[in-house]
Amino acid sequence: MGSFRLLRAYEPADGGYRILVDRLWPRGLSKERAAIDDWAKDVAPSPQLRVAFSHKAERFTEFSDHYRQELEVGSAADGAERLLEIARTKDDVVLVYGARDTVHNHAVVLIDFLAGAQQES
């Protein structure tokens, strides 16, 4: 089974199967520079959750809890399962995200969720 890792969309591509995990395309980033192999919009937080979080670090814990619920049984569950399926066929899966904050963003929650799901299977 392949492994997941994170990379900010504005960083240079460094190999792997690159999946954009944002609902919106990163601002100012050309498709050529992004070098995206797949776009998993459906695994991103719901628009309501994204707006409520508003990239505020003090809301991250609450956001993480709600987003995990979406990944387990909510709107992002099918997308998470699809990412796990991709990891079964690819060795290096790069989850690409656009957020400026590299600690308080949905991709951090997502990779932790996926790692836990891989251990369970």
mmCIF file of all heavy atoms in Angstrom, residues 26-44:
data_model
loop_
_atom_site.group_PDB
_atom_site.id
_atom_site.type_symbol
_atom_site.label_atom_id
_atom_site.label_comp_id
_atom_site.label_asym_id
_atom_site.label_seq_id
_atom_site.Cartn_x
_atom_site.Cartn_y
_atom_site.Cartn_z
ATOM 1 N N PRO A 26 -6.294 26.662 -6.480
ATOM 2 C CA PRO A 26 -5.451 27.663 -5.808
ATOM 3 C C PRO A 26 -5.242 28.911 -6.662
ATOM 4 O O PRO A 26 -4.945 28.813 -7.849
ATOM 5 C CB PRO A 26 -4.120 26.920 -5.603
ATOM 6 C CG PRO A 26 -4.475 25.468 -5.670
ATOM 7 C CD PRO A 26 -5.634 25.373 -6.627
ATOM 8 N N ARG A 27 -5.397 30.052 -6.041
ATOM 9 C CA ARG A 27 -5.286 31.332 -6.751
ATOM 10 C C ARG A 27 -3.927 31.514 -7.403
ATOM 11 O O ARG A 27 -2.887 31.260 -6.812
ATOM 12 C CB ARG A 27 -5.475 32.492 -5.775
ATOM 13 C CG ARG A 27 -6.868 32.677 -5.363
ATOM 14 C CD ARG A 27 -6.978 33.922 -4.517
ATOM 15 N NE ARG A 27 -8.316 33.969 -3.964
ATOM 16 C CZ ARG A 27 -8.662 34.696 -2.937
ATOM 17 N NH1 ARG A 27 -7.780 35.451 -2.335
ATOM 18 N NH2 ARG A 27 -9.899 34.669 -2.508
ATOM 19 N N GLY A 28 -3.976 31.974 -8.644
ATOM 20 C CA GLY A 28 -2.763 32.338 -9.354
ATOM 21 C C GLY A 28 -1.875 31.190 -9.775
ATOM 22 O O GLY A 28 -0.768 31.411 -10.247
ATOM 23 N N LEU A 29 -2.325 29.983 -9.638
ATOM 24 C CA LEU A 29 -1.519 28.811 -9.972
ATOM 25 C C LEU A 29 -1.966 28.256 -11.316
ATOM 26 O O LEU A 29 -3.131 27.892 -11.486
ATOM 27 C CB LEU A 29 -1.668 27.747 -8.884
ATOM 28 C CG LEU A 29 -0.786 26.518 -9.024
ATOM 29 C CD1 LEU A 29 0.691 26.894 -8.871
ATOM 30 C CD2 LEU A 29 -1.168 25.479 -7.982
ATOM 31 N N SER A 30 -1.032 28.190 -12.249
ATOM 32 C CA SER A 30 -1.370 27.644 -13.565
ATOM 33 C C SER A 30 -1.472 26.123 -13.475
ATOM 34 O O SER A 30 -0.857 25.485 -12.610
ATOM 35 C CB SER A 30 -0.303 28.023 -14.587
ATOM 36 O OG SER A 30 0.895 27.310 -14.331
ATOM 37 N N LYS A 31 -2.235 25.557 -14.387
ATOM 38 C CA LYS A 31 -2.390 24.099 -14.401
ATOM 39 C C LYS A 31 -1.062 23.418 -14.717
ATOM 40 O O LYS A 31 -0.768 22.342 -14.198
ATOM 41 C CB LYS A 31 -3.470 23.699 -15.395
ATOM 42 C CG LYS A 31 -4.826 24.193 -14.929
ATOM 43 C CD LYS A 31 -5.956 23.549 -15.676
ATOM 44 C CE LYS A 31 -7.229 24.245 -15.302
ATOM 45 N NZ LYS A 31 -8.176 23.523 -14.583
ATOM 46 N N GLU A 32 -0.241 24.053 -15.542
ATOM 47 C CA GLU A 32 1.055 23.477 -15.886
ATOM 48 C C GLU A 32 1.962 23.435 -14.662
ATOM 49 O O GLU A 32 2.601 22.425 -14.377
ATOM 50 C CB GLU A 32 1.736 24.279 -16.997
ATOM 51 C CG GLU A 32 1.014 24.230 -18.327
ATOM 52 C CD GLU A 32 -0.224 25.133 -18.375
ATOM 53 O OE1 GLU A 32 -0.268 26.170 -17.666
ATOM 54 O OE2 GLU A 32 -1.154 24.793 -19.117
ATOM 55 N N ARG A 33 2.028 24.523 -13.919
ATOM 56 C CA ARG A 33 2.894 24.588 -12.738
ATOM 57 C C ARG A 33 2.385 23.649 -11.640
ATOM 58 O O ARG A 33 3.172 23.048 -10.906
ATOM 59 C CB ARG A 33 2.966 26.015 -12.213
ATOM 60 C CG ARG A 33 3.898 26.148 -11.033
ATOM 61 C CD ARG A 33 4.199 27.599 -10.702
ATOM 62 N NE ARG A 33 4.914 27.627 -9.442
ATOM 63 C CZ ARG A 33 4.579 28.357 -8.410
ATOM 64 N NH1 ARG A 33 3.538 29.164 -8.473
ATOM 65 N NH2 ARG A 33 5.273 28.328 -7.295
ATOM 66 N N ALA A 34 1.092 23.506 -11.525
ATOM 67 C CA ALA A 34 0.514 22.649 -10.480
ATOM 68 C C ALA A 34 0.828 21.175 -10.719
ATOM 69 O O ALA A 34 0.996 20.418 -9.777
ATOM 70 C CB ALA A 34 -0.993 22.852 -10.411
ATOM 71 N N ALA A 35 0.909 20.775 -11.979
ATOM 72 C CA ALA A 35 1.214 19.381 -12.342
ATOM 73 C C ALA A 35 0.335 18.393 -11.580
ATOM 74 O O ALA A 35 0.811 17.415 -11.011
ATOM 75 C CB ALA A 35 2.700 19.082 -12.119
ATOM 76 N N ILE A 36 -0.967 18.641 -11.575
ATOM 77 C CA ILE A 36 -1.934 17.814 -10.837
ATOM 78 C C ILE A 36 -2.353 16.615 -11.694
ATOM 79 O O ILE A 36 -2.687 16.761 -12.861
ATOM 80 C CB ILE A 36 -3.166 18.668 -10.454
ATOM 81 C CG1 ILE A 36 -2.771 19.812 -9.531
ATOM 82 C CG2 ILE A 36 -4.253 17.817 -9.848
ATOM 83 C CD1 ILE A 36 -2.202 19.382 -8.200
ATOM 84 N N ASP A 37 -2.345 15.434 -11.074
ATOM 85 C CA ASP A 37 -2.802 14.222 -11.758
ATOM 86 C C ASP A 37 -4.290 13.970 -11.547
ATOM 87 O O ASP A 37 -4.934 13.320 -12.358
ATOM 88 C CB ASP A 37 -2.018 13.003 -11.240
ATOM 89 C CG ASP A 37 -0.538 13.106 -11.556
ATOM 90 O OD1 ASP A 37 -0.194 13.267 -12.744
ATOM 91 O OD2 ASP A 37 0.276 13.038 -10.614
ATOM 92 N N ASP A 38 -4.828 14.472 -10.429
ATOM 93 C CA ASP A 38 -6.226 14.225 -10.077
ATOM 94 C C ASP A 38 -6.693 15.365 -9.184
ATOM 95 O O ASP A 38 -5.887 15.975 -8.474
ATOM 96 C CB ASP A 38 -6.340 12.893 -9.335
ATOM 97 C CG ASP A 38 -7.753 12.342 -9.255
ATOM 98 O OD1 ASP A 38 -8.712 13.081 -9.565
ATOM 99 O OD2 ASP A 38 -7.905 11.176 -8.861
ATOM 100 N N TRP A 39 -7.982 15.641 -9.229
ATOM 101 C CA TRP A 39 -8.540 16.696 -8.389
ATOM 102 C C TRP A 39 -9.692 16.093 -7.597
ATOM 103 O O TRP A 39 -10.743 15.766 -8.150
ATOM 104 C CB TRP A 39 -9.015 17.859 -9.245
ATOM 105 C CG TRP A 39 -9.440 19.083 -8.491
ATOM 106 C CD1 TRP A 39 -9.475 19.269 -7.152
ATOM 107 C CD2 TRP A 39 -9.887 20.314 -9.066
ATOM 108 N NE1 TRP A 39 -9.909 20.540 -6.844
ATOM 109 C CE2 TRP A 39 -10.173 21.201 -8.008
ATOM 110 C CE3 TRP A 39 -10.081 20.748 -10.367
ATOM 111 C CZ2 TRP A 39 -10.640 22.488 -8.213
ATOM 112 C CZ3 TRP A 39 -10.542 22.032 -10.576
ATOM 113 C CH2 TRP A 39 -10.814 22.897 -9.506
ATOM 114 N N ALA A 40 -9.504 15.937 -6.305
ATOM 115 C CA ALA A 40 -10.495 15.305 -5.431
ATOM 116 C C ALA A 40 -11.276 16.379 -4.675
ATOM 117 O O ALA A 40 -11.137 16.525 -3.455
ATOM 118 C CB ALA A 40 -9.809 14.337 -4.479
ATOM 119 N N LYS A 41 -12.122 17.091 -5.392
ATOM 120 C CA LYS A 41 -12.944 18.141 -4.770
ATOM 121 C C LYS A 41 -13.850 17.568 -3.690
ATOM 122 O O LYS A 41 -14.132 18.231 -2.690
ATOM 123 C CB LYS A 41 -13.840 18.812 -5.820
ATOM 124 C CG LYS A 41 -13.133 19.582 -6.868
ATOM 125 C CD LYS A 41 -14.154 20.156 -7.847
ATOM 126 C CE LYS A 41 -13.496 20.716 -9.068
ATOM 127 N NZ LYS A 41 -14.461 21.278 -10.008
ATOM 128 N N ASP A 42 -14.307 16.342 -3.926
ATOM 129 C CA ASP A 42 -15.291 15.738 -3.030
ATOM 130 C C ASP A 42 -14.746 15.359 -1.660
ATOM 131 O O ASP A 42 -15.507 15.075 -0.746
ATOM 132 C CB ASP A 42 -15.935 14.518 -3.694
ATOM 133 C CG ASP A 42 -14.924 13.472 -4.148
ATOM 134 O OD1 ASP A 42 -13.722 13.785 -4.215
ATOM 135 O OD2 ASP A 42 -15.343 12.347 -4.451
ATOM 136 N N VAL A 43 -13.426 15.383 -1.479
ATOM 137 C CA VAL A 43 -12.842 15.060 -0.170
ATOM 138 C C VAL A 43 -12.596 16.323 0.654
ATOM 139 O O VAL A 43 -12.321 16.250 1.847
ATOM 140 C CB VAL A 43 -11.544 14.235 -0.329
ATOM 141 C CG1 VAL A 43 -10.380 15.121 -0.723
ATOM 142 C CG2 VAL A 43 -11.235 13.459 0.926
ATOM 143 N N ALA A 44 -12.743 17.469 0.044
ATOM 144 C CA ALA A 44 -12.539 18.741 0.751
ATOM 145 C C ALA A 44 -13.697 18.993 1.727
ATOM 146 O O ALA A 44 -14.783 18.431 1.572
ATOM 147 C CB ALA A 44 -12.450 19.876 -0.263
#
